[in-house]
Amino acid sequence: MRDVLYLEEMSQAETLLKPQRIEVLRQLAEPGTCTEVAARLGQTPQRVYYHVKQLVAAGLAEQVSERKVRGISEGIYQAAARSYWLSPRLVGRIGGLRRARDELSLGHLLDLMEEVQADVAALDRAAPELPSIGVSGEIRVPAERRQEFLADLRAALEDLFTRYGGAEGDAFKLAVACYPKGEDRD
């Protein structure tokens, strides 16, 4: 079972985004038969089997083994991942075409976050080492120094790109997001 399955196909999203299928998928966090899942959900095995087949066809669940019960083969299924990420491309943006990629626009920030999400989802979680870093913090800048702050941030990043931007060595992608902080969230 993968940690994360990144969904980029509309058919996968349509299959997943049905409350009953989400419940079946939750039950399949551990391998189980349709009969076992049906008993836990208070549904008929046939109904659960229908949903499991849809999940398997979409690549959201998989048959991991099979057993014989009174001469009948019964599949044992499991969810394909612990969590599922829905690509923002599937939802789209309200308001038609995307705005120009002005690096000071919120549209550009959304594009960047979408790109980071896709890149992280594509990482090989089975690799022995995934050198990465995530940093988050809050900086308070008076309005009259905002442009100075953004220029300093740009200069610091340009310095890193210049010093480490050679053609040799391991490639790392760097994404920095700076945006106004909204209301405090717990």
Side-chain angles (χ1 to χ4, degrees), residues 1-141:
M1 176 187 288
R2 297 174 60 179
D3 269 346
V4 176
L5 183 59
Y6 188 64
L7 306 180
E8 295 184 276
E9 301 295 324
M10 186 59 77
S11 61
Q12 289 178 306
E14 289 171 347
T15 300
L16 179 64
L17 296 177
K18 298 199 181 321
Q20 266 194 305
R21 288 197 189 132
I22 291 173
E23 285 306 313
V24 168
L25 204 52
R26 282 189 182 129
Q27 294 298 316
L28 293 175
E30 297 297 324
T33 66
C34 294
T35 303
E36 293 166 341
V37 171
R40 288 193 297 266
L41 294 177
Q43 296 181 10
T44 65
Q46 294 82 3
R47 184 178 184 104
V48 169
Y49 180 75
Y50 169 77
H51 291 302
V52 167
K53 283 301 181 188
Q54 297 296 316
L55 292 166
V56 168
L60 305 173
E62 55 198 9
Q63 184 173 340
V64 293
S65 65
E66 190 174 84
R67 68 180 179 200
K68 295 273 187 189
V69 177
R70 291 185 285 264
I72 299 173
S73 293
E74 186 173 39
I76 299 174
Y77 300 92
Q78 185 171 20
R82 293 189 201 320
S83 60
Y84 299 84
W85 285 358
L86 186 62
S87 169
R89 285 185 198 105
L90 294 177
V91 178
R93 301 238 172 87
I94 296 173
L97 299 174
R98 291 183 180 189
R99 292 183 187 157
R101 293 185 68 116
D102 172 8
E103 57 186 33
L104 296 178
S105 77
L106 288 178
H108 179 65
L109 183 59
L110 290 171
D111 289 343
L112 177 63
M113 293 301 103
E114 181 179 318
E115 189 175 315
V116 169
Q117 183 176 336
D119 289 347
V120 169
L123 291 175
D124 179 8
R125 300 269 197 281
E129 182 181 1
L130 287 172
S132 58
I133 183 172
V135 177
S136 177
E138 182 177 322
I139 295 175
R140 296 190 177 265
V141 180

